[in-house]
């Protein structure tokens, strides 16, 4: 796994992007608000990361190995984003950073939900090295192994739930 797309550039999205960039991944950011992307990219650079690539549409995330959804904690918004990501990226591992919504319910939006799981980064990422790996009933063992390897490569502690 080498390429990561991060959707949502608020506090969690940009913090995840920084950590991922610092560990050698090719990162592309997307947000529906172009100003938010610019602010997040500048924040990442001022906090010691390389400049992340910017996606101007979800289609620009095609071919990424991993897509991490970190949009607003709203069920309808997350379901719409996850469905669009899955349709545009038939082989990517897709993860949500949700902390409060049902992973099983969100998985219903993802075609081939075997490639979907939760990757819940705790805030602040730089001080809390735990990442919960949350399966849904259809998450494959291969997906869980890939998610765990990704978290370990970030020099963080995977916490299977």
């Amino acid at each position: 796994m080498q390429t990561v797309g991060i959707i949502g550039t608020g506090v969690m999205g940009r913090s995840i992007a920084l950590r991922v960039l610092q560990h050698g991944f090719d990162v592309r950011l997307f947000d529906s608000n172009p100003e938010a992307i610019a602010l997040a990219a500048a924040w990442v650079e001022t906090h010691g990361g390389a400049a992340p690539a910017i996606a101007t549409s979800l289609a620009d995330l095609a071919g990424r190995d991993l897509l991490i959804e970190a949009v607003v904690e709203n069920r309808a918004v997350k379901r719409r984003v996850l469905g669009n990501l899955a349709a545009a990226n038939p082989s990517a591992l897709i993860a949500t950073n949700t902390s409060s919504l049902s992973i099983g319910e969100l998985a219903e939006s993802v075609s081939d939900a075997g490639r979907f799981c939760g990757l819940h980064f705790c805030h602040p990422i730089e001080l809390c090295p735990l990442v919960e790996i949350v399966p849904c009933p259809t998450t494959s063992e291969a997906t869980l192994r890939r998610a765990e390897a990704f978290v370990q490569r970030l020099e963080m502690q995977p916490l299977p739930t």
Side-chain angles (χ1 to χ4, degrees), residues 39-58:
L39 289 171
W43 183 90
V44 167
E45 286 187 84
T46 61
H47 285 81
I54 304 298
T56 58
S57 72
L58 290 178

Side-chain angles (χ1 to χ4, degrees), residues 17-142:
L18 176 61
R19 184 72 180 217
V20 174
L21 279 162
Q22 289 174 330
H23 286 82
F25 289 87
D26 173 1
V27 174
R28 189 168 291 166
L29 294 177
F30 175 77
D31 195 292
S32 60
N33 179 345
E35 291 177 18
I37 297 173
L39 289 171
W43 183 90
V44 167
E45 286 187 84
T46 61
H47 285 81
I54 304 298
T56 58
S57 72
L58 290 178
D60 290 344
L61 300 175
R64 301 268 111 185
D65 300 318
L66 170 63
L67 299 168
I68 301 172
E69 170 276 310
V71 300
V72 64
E73 203 71 359
N74 176 294
R75 181 177 288 108
V77 172
K78 285 186 180 289
R79 287 180 63 115
R80 183 177 66 250
V81 168
L82 290 167
N84 289 336
L85 286 175
N89 298 279
S91 63
L93 180 110
I94 298 176
T96 180
N97 186 56
T98 189
S99 59
S100 63
L101 300 175
S102 164
I103 299 297
E105 184 179 319
L106 293 176
E108 294 171 0
S109 304
V110 178
S111 58
D112 183 15
R115 63 189 172 120
F116 177 73
C117 69
L119 280 179
H120 178 231
F121 290 79
C122 299
H123 180 70
I125 289 173
E126 66 277 5
L127 299 177
C128 187
L130 297 175
V131 180
E132 292 177 295
I133 300 174
V134 187
C136 64
T138 57
T139 303
S140 74
E141 286 299 318

